[in-house]
Amino acid sequence: MTDSNTPCIQTRGLSLKTAGGPVYQDAELAIERGQLAALFGSEGCGKTSLMLTLAGRMRFTGGEARVFGFDLRKQHAKVRAISNITLIERANDVTVNSRLSDILAAELQVVGKSGRKAKVAEYLQHWQLEGLAGARFCDLDSFDRKRFDIALAYAGDPELLMVDDIQAGLTQHQSIRLMKSLKGLAHSKGTTILVGLNEYEVARYADAVAVCSQGAADQRCAVLRDHGPSFDCPLCGTANGVQLDAALCCCDEGEEARA
């Protein structure tokens, strides 16, 4: 496991190439324990595959990565055991016609916890979902479905939680509300959370942002020029955690931010 002074996720040149070409390449990440980190990139840039890799669910072809002290190439099964994924299509096998209380009871039992009615009610109340206990999953709106998906994924108390495409079906305001909720979870529980995003106005609410495509870098620069930085930065005024190279830096002084 990592100590308090070492990033819990650290990659160098992490890449995945297939016969059809690169899926993602040269990913350089350094994410601290208990952070909410955003993988910010255009559609199709490989964010989902990168998240699956970091959660131990997908192999990579180049570079290296350590996740919570484990060598991801050799110990992916150990990484898989301490992580969970949600909001990826078909990743969570729930019966859409089932009621939330029944889905949650089954999940709690799978992770070795009590699925009794009182425990289910307590868990739903903790996640502010008690009013939806009798609702069917298929009847939830997009915002409540995503909230329940996250609560379900957290039932086993993972140390690492991947949340992909949280903006799908949501307004920008709803997406920001979800980001703030995830940030509070990360800080209060010490859980490291990675989210996949394609809109910088939402990504800037994370503790750290990794820009995964040129299109995303262009969008970030445009937002910063129009609205200013969301957090103070002595180098270029970008959101906390954004890593820039000389070609992408957009500060007035032209200084470079270096990792």
Side-chain angles (χ1 to χ4, degrees):
M1 292 295 178
T2 56
D3 60 40
S4 58
N5 297 317
T6 304
C8 67
I9 298 176
Q10 192 160 24
T11 70
R12 292 187 179 88
L14 192 66
S15 303
L16 174 61
K17 294 182 180 180
T18 67
V23 179
Y24 59 82
Q25 56 186 350
D26 299 325
E28 304 279 340
L29 300 173
I31 298 169
E32 304 296 332
R33 183 188 294 268
Q35 276 193 330
L36 172 64
L39 299 181
F40 168 52
S42 307
E43 293 292 340
C45 73
K47 298 188 301 295
T48 297
S49 296
L50 178 56
M51 294 171 78
L52 286 166
T53 299
L54 294 173
R57 268 74 169 177
M58 182 179 287
R59 299 297 185 95
F60 56 97
T61 57
E64 58 186 42
R66 297 193 72 83
V67 179
F68 283 82
F70 297 119
D71 182 334
L72 191 57
R73 187 179 296 279
K74 300 176 181 178
Q75 299 173 294
H76 56 91
K78 292 185 176 180
V79 173
R80 189 164 59 243
I82 63 170
S83 65
N84 207 350
I85 309 172
T86 187
L87 304 189
I88 298 175
E89 187 176 3
R90 292 183 295 277
N92 289 326
D93 183 20
V94 299
T95 304
V96 295
N97 287 317
S98 297
R99 302 193 183 280
L100 300 199
S101 56
D102 295 331
I103 297 170
L104 179 58
E107 185 66 19
L108 289 172
Q109 290 174 334
V110 166
V111 298
K113 296 182 178 180
S114 172
R116 291 182 302 165
K117 185 176 180 179
K119 290 296 183 180
V120 169
E122 180 183 337
Y123 193 82
L124 288 171
Q125 184 176 21
H126 176 76
W127 287 88
Q128 299 181 339
L129 292 165
E130 64 273 17
L132 298 173
R136 296 186 304 169
F137 186 81
C138 61
D139 292 333
L140 300 179
D141 62 26
S142 295
F143 185 64
D144 286 334
R145 182 175 294 196
K146 291 177 191 299
R147 291 173 59 220
F148 180 70
D149 267 342
I150 293 168
L152 198 65
Y154 202 75
D157 302 312
E159 295 185 63
L160 175 62
L161 180 63
M162 304 290 184
V163 184
D164 189 37
D165 199 15
I166 70 170
Q167 297 168 261
L170 300 187
T171 65
Q172 186 181 95
H173 176 68
Q174 288 174 323
S175 298
I176 291 172
R177 283 182 61 193
L178 202 56
M179 285 290 285
K180 290 180 177 180
S181 177
L182 288 169
K183 193 171 187 177
L185 175 64
H187 293 181
S188 64
K189 300 292 187 180
T191 306
T192 305
I193 303 177
L194 268 66
V195 297
L197 296 161
N198 57 30
E199 187 177 349
Y200 185 67
E201 286 285 15
V202 179
R204 70 196 310 196
Y205 284 86
D207 295 307
V209 181
V211 179
C212 301
S213 68
Q214 183 61 50
D218 293 342
Q219 182 191 148
R220 174 186 48 75
C221 286
V223 170
L224 292 172
R225 289 190 183 111
D226 290 343
H227 304 294
S230 55
F231 301 100
D232 291 334
C233 172
L235 290 176
C236 61
T238 59
N240 183 35
V242 175
Q243 300 299 307
L244 302 173
D245 60 29
L248 302 181
C249 188
C250 57
C251 61
D252 292 337
E253 293 78 11
E255 293 181 278
E256 299 174 23
R258 296 181 175 85

